[in-house]
Amino acid sequence: SETQKEELTNSNQYEALKAAKEDEISATSKALEQKKIQLAEADEKNAQAQQDLEDTQKSMTADDKFLLDLKEKCAAADQEYDMRKKLRNEEMQAVSEAIAILSSDDAHDLFSRTFNPAFIQVRRVTRSQHGGRVAGAAASLLAAAASRASDPRLAALAVAAAKDPLEKVKQAIDQLIAELKAEKKLEIATRDECINREHEYQKSTEKFEREKVDAESKAATLKSELGELESSMKTLEKEIADLELQMKRKGEDRAMEKRDFQETLADQRATQELLKKALNVLRVVYKKKEVNRQAPISLLARARRAEPAPPGFETYGKNRASGGVVGLLEKILEDAKQMEAEVTRDEKDAEKEYQDFVADTTAAVETKRAAIVNKSETKAKAEQDLISTEDDIRDNMKELETLINTKQAIDLECSFLLKNFDIRQEARDEEIEALQEGKAILMGMKLD
């Protein structure tokens, strides 16, 4: 018996140690899988970071090159502008001085004496003088327009009008008017293109900003969802561990109850056997005495029976308590049988309760494990969506950076034009009007 108890104790200790080690192995395996997942995520993030670094370096190299080229172009443009401005100022100054010289009264008198011989008719001389006055008026008008518009072409026409107010000058005026109208038309088309480019830039910027905000909101939602999923999965794992621990402890309690039941059942059955043996012995003795009591009695025995008992002795006969002893043993035996039946019934109820508990707990564990699997799949999908969304955010950032460069290019090419468009258009209209008036003067038309 002691050996069996020791063996049972060792067996229980072994089962408990085995279960503990299996739990440790399971926990370590889960931790290893989690570390592998974290390592894969870290490797993926590292690869993405390396790609982002490479893209950023390439973008910086391209931006630096663009900035360097832009600075060189701007420096060259500034230098060319300064040179052209200086040349135009010198040209305008020289043309103005030439016009002043050619338009002076001394020049007119000199031209009259040089180009009007004495033998020419008086009427002809009058026309020549009228032509000179017309040429001077046209030249003065063109010179004033050239000064206002800072256009050397008008200045050149003013000089030509002063020298030769004939068909070539008129053709030159017509050609210059056509060029100015073409420039005006081209500038209007360029202005419209700049406005369209600015509009497209605004639309693209708003689109990518909106997508960026939506992607950032989606990323925040996914991160919150991942946090909730991880928390739920940890809660489910803890609940599974608690249920498994409860089932383990319930199994240990059930084993102890079963062992107690077997010991109690064995004791009751042993007690019943002992009681049966005692009852059999008593029943044999009392049965013999009953037979002897019913047998024929001799005259001597009767005489002896008739004799009174000696002083201090009672009359000999069947023990009055014998029926009570047998009845008591029979009652004890019946109680032992009832206790055996009751213990057996309780054992069956306890076993059924344990089996129901195990079934319910197992079903609950399986349900929670299925929920963990579903949440793991949802978590994996959310993580993939988060990676995709973060890629979208980075792409939007790159597009917005590209749009910033586009905006700088638009400002560089269109800012001056858009800012001075009305002024330049008005100046060209004035130039055209001056040319038309100059042409009208040359054609002999009377100005209002």
Side-chain angles (χ1 to χ4, degrees), residues 46-276:
N46 182 41
Q48 291 177 353
Q50 293 293 334
Q51 185 63 39
D52 291 342
L53 177 61
E54 183 180 353
D55 294 341
T56 303
Q57 289 175 344
K58 289 180 180 179
S59 177
M60 287 181 62
T61 301
D63 292 343
D64 292 340
K65 184 178 179 182
F66 174 77
L67 180 61
L68 182 61
D69 293 342
L70 183 61
K71 288 181 177 179
E72 291 178 355
K73 290 179 181 179
C74 289
D78 291 340
Q79 184 177 2
E80 183 180 356
Y81 174 75
D82 292 338
M83 181 65 69
R84 292 177 64 183
K85 183 178 179 182
K86 181 179 180 182
L87 291 175
R88 284 194 174 188
N89 289 334
E90 292 176 353
E91 184 180 1
M92 288 171 58
Q93 184 177 0
V95 170
S96 298
E97 291 177 357
I99 290 173
I101 293 171
L102 294 174
S103 300
S104 63
D105 295 337
D106 294 339
H108 281 295
D109 294 341
L110 179 61
F111 290 152
S112 298
R113 291 194 301 271
T114 303
F115 297 105
N116 293 302
F119 60 85
I120 297 178
Q121 296 178 2
V122 175
R123 182 177 177 83
R124 181 66 178 173
V125 170
T126 302
R127 287 184 176 178
S128 298
Q129 291 176 352
H130 176 70
R133 288 195 298 272
V134 171
S140 299
L141 183 62
L142 293 174
S147 178
R148 289 194 304 271
S150 300
D151 193 340
R153 294 174 295 182
L154 286 176
L157 278 175
V159 174
K163 291 182 178 180
D164 185 12
L166 298 178
E167 193 65 28
K168 291 183 178 179
V169 177
K170 296 176 184 178
Q171 292 177 358
I173 290 175
D174 292 336
Q175 182 179 356
L176 184 54
I177 290 174
E179 290 176 359
L180 288 172
K181 289 182 177 179
E183 289 176 359
K184 182 179 179 181
K185 184 177 180 181
L186 177 61
E187 196 166 75
I188 292 173
T190 305
R191 188 275 311 266
D192 294 338
E193 182 183 358
C194 288
I195 292 174
N196 290 333
R197 289 173 64 186
E198 181 73 22
H199 181 63
E200 289 297 326
Y201 161 76
Q202 292 293 340
K203 284 175 56 179
S204 299
T205 301
E206 290 175 0
K207 173 178 175 291
F208 286 113
E209 284 287 353
R210 185 169 58 253
E211 291 178 354
K212 177 173 172 288
V213 170
D214 293 341
E216 288 175 345
S217 176
K218 182 179 179 181
T221 302
L222 288 171
K223 289 179 180 178
S224 176
E225 181 181 352
L226 285 172
E228 293 176 358
L229 286 171
E230 290 177 355
S231 177
S232 299
M233 290 171 66
K234 288 180 180 179
T235 301
L236 288 172
E237 289 174 352
K238 184 177 182 302
E239 290 175 355
I240 289 173
D242 291 340
L243 289 173
E244 290 177 343
L245 180 61
Q246 292 176 11
M247 191 161 56
K248 177 184 175 183
R249 289 177 177 174
K250 190 72 174 178
E252 293 173 353
D253 294 340
R254 180 85 275 276
M256 293 178 62
E257 291 173 358
K258 193 169 186 178
R259 184 168 61 250
D260 292 339
F261 161 73
Q262 291 174 349
E263 291 176 356
T264 301
L265 184 62
D267 292 340
Q268 290 299 323
R269 288 178 176 175
T271 300
Q272 292 176 30
E273 291 297 326
L274 291 174
L275 290 172
K276 287 178 180 180

Side-chain angles (χ1 to χ4, degrees), residues 192-387:
D192 294 338
E193 182 183 358
C194 288
I195 292 174
N196 290 333
R197 289 173 64 186
E198 181 73 22
H199 181 63
E200 289 297 326
Y201 161 76
Q202 292 293 340
K203 284 175 56 179
S204 299
T205 301
E206 290 175 0
K207 173 178 175 291
F208 286 113
E209 284 287 353
R210 185 169 58 253
E211 291 178 354
K212 177 173 172 288
V213 170
D214 293 341
E216 288 175 345
S217 176
K218 182 179 179 181
T221 302
L222 288 171
K223 289 179 180 178
S224 176
E225 181 181 352
L226 285 172
E228 293 176 358
L229 286 171
E230 290 177 355
S231 177
S232 299
M233 290 171 66
K234 288 180 180 179
T235 301
L236 288 172
E237 289 174 352
K238 184 177 182 302
E239 290 175 355
I240 289 173
D242 291 340
L243 289 173
E244 290 177 343
L245 180 61
Q246 292 176 11
M247 191 161 56
K248 177 184 175 183
R249 289 177 177 174
K250 190 72 174 178
E252 293 173 353
D253 294 340
R254 180 85 275 276
M256 293 178 62
E257 291 173 358
K258 193 169 186 178
R259 184 168 61 250
D260 292 339
F261 161 73
Q262 291 174 349
E263 291 176 356
T264 301
L265 184 62
D267 292 340
Q268 290 299 323
R269 288 178 176 175
T271 300
Q272 292 176 30
E273 291 297 326
L274 291 174
L275 290 172
K276 287 178 180 180
K277 289 180 180 180
L279 284 171
N280 290 334
V281 171
L282 290 174
R283 284 171 179 165
V284 170
V285 171
Y286 288 121
K287 188 175 182 180
K288 288 180 179 180
K289 288 184 178 182
E290 185 67 23
V291 171
N292 292 333
R293 189 168 61 95
Q294 294 177 358
I297 302 174
S298 62
L299 293 175
L300 180 60
R302 289 178 181 177
R304 289 179 180 177
R305 251 180 105 177
E307 293 178 1
F313 292 92
E314 295 180 358
T315 303
Y316 181 77
K318 182 180 179 181
N319 190 351
R320 292 187 299 271
S322 62
V325 172
V326 173
L328 178 61
L329 291 178
E330 288 176 347
K331 187 176 185 309
I332 293 174
L333 178 60
E334 185 65 26
D335 291 341
K337 289 180 179 179
Q338 291 179 359
M339 183 175 292
E340 178 184 353
E342 183 178 352
V343 169
T344 302
R345 185 173 60 255
D346 292 341
E347 171 62 17
K348 288 181 180 180
D349 294 338
E351 181 65 22
K352 184 179 183 303
E353 180 184 357
Y354 171 72
Q355 293 297 333
D356 293 340
F357 172 81
V358 170
D360 294 340
T361 304
T362 302
V365 168
E366 292 300 326
T367 301
K368 294 181 184 298
R369 283 177 177 167
I372 289 176
V373 171
N374 294 334
K375 290 183 181 295
S376 298
E377 294 175 353
T378 304
K379 179 172 175 287
K381 185 177 182 302
E383 289 174 343
Q384 188 63 35
D385 290 343
L386 179 60
I387 293 173

Side-chain angles (χ1 to χ4, degrees), residues 184 187-188 191 416-426:
K184 182 179 179 181
E187 196 166 75
I188 292 173
R191 188 275 311 266
F416 177 82
L417 174 63
L418 295 175
K419 185 177 181 180
N420 300 281
F421 177 78
D422 293 334
I423 298 174
R424 290 168 64 88
Q425 290 292 308
E426 184 178 354

